[in-house]
Amino acid sequence: MEPSGKIKIQNLNLFIGKQQILKNINAEIPENKITVILGPSGCGKTTLLKTLNRLTDLYENIKISGTVEMGNEDILHTKTDITKIRRKMGLVSQRPYPLPMSIYGNIAYGLKISGHTKKQFLDEKVEYYLKVTHLWEEVKDRLKQPASALSVGQQQRLCLARGLAVDPEIILADEPASALDPVSSMAIEELFTELKSWYTIVVVTHILRQAKRIADHVIFMYLGEVIEQGPAGEFFENPKMEKTKAYIKGAFN
Amino acid sequence: MMVFATLTIILVLLLIIASIIYKGLPALSWDMISQTPKGGYYFGKGGGILNAIIGSVYLSFGATFLALIVGLPVALYMNVFLVKHKKTVHALRFILDILWGIPSIVYGALGFIFMIWLGLKTSLLAGIITVTILIIPIMIRSMDEALKFVPRGLFESALSLGSTRSEISFKVFLRQCIPGIITAILLSFGRAIGDAAAVLFTTGYTDNIQGSLSHPAATLPLAIFFQLGSPVPEVKERAYASAMVLIMIILIISIAARIFSQKYYKDKIKF
């Protein structure tokens, strides 16, 4: 049985100025699976991802219509404090953006701002999430050092650990491996595969092979529209739309 | 080209320091910085400029502190809360740049007008307020220059961790920009301690050590001005010695601030 949709996107249109970036998007993101938003550069994948936790709030001249539902709440029009909703979604960006503080501080940050101050609790959580992201062995002796001292690959795992520490339900990842070397990039992919039993994961990528490796569910976008979506097996083995077939064959990128 | 540019800068700096030391060092003495002017000081008799040192330190610390309290929240607000309103921020930057460019004598005259309206006399307080208004645009704009380079990705990451905009301001932007903010404070402090025109009508002058906010205060730039205007050569030398003291104060503050911000240089993420 197909699990229930964790996020439902309906009739979503997004304009920046007069340019339409997202065109009538209807899509579902299933729970506890890796959903890959796939498509060539500039097709609106990242914008769609940022709409999910309303990072679009930061941009000028944006007009959005439609709904993005999670639970029974429309994220785009809710009266609930948006920071509470954002806390349910961890973000992994194209390149790591560690906070300007220590390794320990990076993970403790989210916990501290949500009111946890007990040192023992923070210590436990920091250790736990560094272990989840396989960083603990590498950094356990230098937790007080600035996060900027880590390699880019380590920083990206630190950013994931930091996001997980606030106990989200969803992980949003925007081309999480694009700044990483092949080894670090595989480490991130493996992590996602391990984590999907507990989290709903949405990964934006334009790398077809990466999508094939990790996807359970695919949303294929082209020029701001969703062309095709469905379970990964079906999508890659038996695509229905001409555009999808061409893309999978590598006719365009 | 690079060598030429570097040499020019070093040469200008050396020229200023060397000429001041050459002219001022003979007059510099412990008496000069530990005593107030005795009778006939301006005709070559004994005493020092302690009154001006203390007055200047009070004035510039007071004004820098007030400008920081006003300026930091404004600069953070422009970059964290108004991030979506680019046009407003552009307009604010333009206005601040104009304010920065207005000569300080105009601020002095403005302060003077207000003092007449309110029936105030020249005083340390009037000077602090005038200089605060003079350096607020410098404070805000130079902090803004540091804050505007915080990458959007860091902002988005912090938002996604569930931060409010205030938390982002004070826990992320501020930390990331501490070195730049310290530079902004130093720039403002340097302007505050070095400006003569803004304090000329508002702060007045006194040969005594500052006792209260409502009394006139001596300042180093004016001390230099008065001594330089003296026909007595020894007093002229004292003007250069006073300039040395002024530069030393700025140097000490700069170095102390750099040492303080070292820790934050390490935490700053290089993007």
Side-chain angles (χ1 to χ4, degrees):
Chain A
M1 195 187 85
E2 186 73 5
S4 61
K6 181 75 182 167
I7 299 179
K8 262 189 204 159
I9 303 162
Q10 280 174 321
N11 305 324
L12 179 68
N13 285 287
L14 187 146
F15 291 84
I16 298 181
K18 284 186 177 144
Q19 202 190 350
Q20 188 165 13
I21 309 292
L22 298 177
K23 296 171 190 164
N24 201 33
I25 306 275
N26 286 284
E28 270 193 37
I29 290 165
E31 197 163 4
N32 291 4
K33 301 215 169 207
I34 299 181
T35 299
V36 168
I37 303 177
L38 182 69
S41 306
C43 69
K45 314 181 289 280
T46 298
T47 310
L48 178 59
L49 190 82
K50 284 181 180 172
T51 312
L52 299 184
N53 72 344
R54 257 180 55 188
L55 289 179
T56 44
D57 284 4
L58 292 182
Y59 294 83
E60 216 182 3
N61 290 326
I62 280 197
K63 250 190 286 169
I64 307 179
S65 62
T67 58
V68 174
E69 274 177 39
M70 185 172 73
N72 286 320
E73 207 157 24
D74 177 9
I75 292 169
L76 298 181
H77 304 101
T78 180
K79 291 207 171 67
T80 314
D81 185 4
I82 185 66
T83 55
K84 280 194 188 126
I85 294 172
R86 289 204 183 105
R87 205 165 286 172
K88 291 186 193 165
M89 306 194 206
L91 178 78
V92 182
S93 357
Q94 283 195 14
R95 42 149 311 166
Y97 289 101
L99 301 167
M101 45 190 84
S102 67
I103 296 169
Y104 183 97
N106 259 274
I107 307 221
Y109 173 84
L111 296 164
K112 280 185 189 163
I113 60 170
S114 45
H116 299 284
T117 50
K118 274 199 183 136
K119 193 180 173 305
Q120 198 197 344
F121 176 82
L122 292 175
D123 286 351
E124 278 169 19
K125 289 285 175 186
V126 168
E127 180 172 347
Y128 177 75
Y129 286 104
L130 284 173
K131 279 181 175 160
V132 168
T133 50
H134 309 306
L135 258 178
W136 178 249
E137 287 305 317
E138 295 163 49
V139 302
K140 65 179 177 191
D141 300 323
R142 46 179 180 145
L143 292 174
K144 297 289 171 197
Q145 276 185 23
S148 56
L150 296 173
S151 76
V152 179
Q154 288 171 325
Q155 284 183 13
Q156 193 64 305
R157 277 183 283 153
L158 180 72
C159 288
L160 178 59
R162 163 185 84 181
L164 296 180
V166 293
D167 203 17
E169 296 165 22
I170 300 169
I171 300 170
L172 305 175
D174 183 10
E175 313 228 7
S178 65
L180 306 183
D181 61 274
V183 177
S184 311
S185 139
M186 286 310 275
I188 289 280
E189 285 180 20
E190 279 162 22
L191 260 172
F192 283 157
T193 319
E194 288 169 28
L195 290 173
K196 71 179 176 188
S197 326
W198 298 282
Y199 305 95
T200 301
I201 302 177
V202 185
V203 181
V204 161
T205 186
H206 66 274
I207 306 164
L208 196 58
R209 275 176 300 160
Q210 187 179 45
K212 280 185 181 164
R213 282 195 296 266
I214 60 174
D216 299 310
H217 189 86
V218 182
I219 298 172
F220 174 59
M221 288 182 70
Y222 184 70
L223 296 179
E225 284 178 282
V226 171
I227 304 292
E228 185 167 348
Q229 53 186 315
E234 223 171 283
F235 178 87
F236 288 114
E237 299 306 322
N238 192 15
K240 292 179 188 64
M241 309 297 285
E242 286 305 317
K243 272 263 153 47
T244 319
K245 286 178 192 163
Y247 187 75
I248 289 175
K249 266 194 223 152
F252 60 94
N253 244 312
Chain B
M1 211 47 213
M2 196 178 75
V3 176
F4 179 71
T6 317
L7 279 180
T8 313
I9 292 168
I10 293 175
L11 209 70
V12 170
L13 182 66
L14 284 182
L15 202 68
I16 293 172
I17 292 178
S19 60
I20 288 171
I21 290 179
Y22 173 74
K23 288 219 162 186
L25 199 58
L28 192 64
S29 64
W30 181 245
D31 281 1
M32 173 117 188
I33 52 176
S34 66
Q35 289 184 12
T36 52
K38 300 281 180 288
Y41 176 80
Y42 298 99
F43 300 103
K45 295 262 175 64
I49 51 158
L50 184 63
N51 58 330
I53 295 175
I54 289 182
S56 260
V57 168
Y58 281 163
L59 180 94
S60 49
F61 270 86
T64 310
F65 178 70
L66 288 182
L68 176 66
I69 288 186
V70 178
L72 182 62
V74 174
L76 285 169
Y77 192 84
M78 280 169 65
N79 285 282
V80 178
F81 289 81
L82 294 182
V83 62
K84 213 180 162 178
H85 305 276
K86 277 209 189 103
K87 276 186 196 147
T88 312
V89 173
H90 279 309
L92 285 174
R93 284 186 180 139
F94 180 63
I95 294 167
L96 288 166
D97 285 344
I98 292 174
L99 288 173
W100 188 331
I102 291 176
S104 56
I105 186 75
V106 178
Y107 286 96
L110 190 78
F112 192 59
I113 292 171
F114 278 118
M115 282 161 57
I116 292 172
W117 279 351
L118 299 171
L120 295 172
K121 293 196 177 116
T122 53
S123 62
L124 178 60
L125 183 66
I128 288 179
I129 292 171
T130 307
V131 174
T132 303
I133 296 169
L134 168 73
I135 63 175
I136 276 178
I138 303 175
M139 188 74 93
I140 297 176
R141 257 316 254 131
S142 29
M143 284 180 179
D144 172 50
E145 276 305 304
L147 292 167
K148 77 179 189 190
F149 288 109
V150 173
R152 187 55 66 88
L154 186 60
F155 199 151
E156 291 179 353
S157 300
L159 273 186
S160 301
L161 291 168
S163 322
T164 62
R165 301 266 175 138
S166 326
E167 283 159 351
I168 290 181
S169 300
F170 291 104
K171 296 187 169 143
V172 180
F173 272 59
L174 186 60
R175 270 188 96 100
Q176 172 71 5
C177 296
I178 288 269
I181 282 167
I182 299 231
T183 306
I185 295 172
L186 287 177
L187 209 60
S188 311
F189 176 81
R191 184 70 188 268
I193 201 170
D195 198 85
V199 293
L200 189 59
F201 301 117
T202 54
T203 323
Y205 202 82
T206 172
D207 279 350
N208 302 318
I209 296 217
Q210 195 60 34
S212 119
L213 275 172
S214 56
H215 288 131
T219 47
L220 279 167
L222 287 187
I224 296 170
F225 176 69
F226 291 142
Q227 292 172 113
L228 213 52
S230 160
V232 185
E234 292 153 40
V235 180
K236 274 198 172 137
E237 276 184 1
R238 287 177 183 166
Y240 290 100
S242 309
M244 274 176 75
V245 172
L246 182 57
I247 289 179
M248 295 263 268
I249 293 175
I250 294 176
L251 220 58
I252 291 168
I253 302 282
S254 300
I255 292 170
R258 292 284 165 209
I259 291 170
F260 170 77
S261 67
Q262 274 304 317
K263 175 190 156 10
Y264 295 96
Y265 271 111
K266 274 186 246 148
D267 276 350
K268 183 176 174 160
I269 310 288
K270 282 92 192 164
F271 292 104

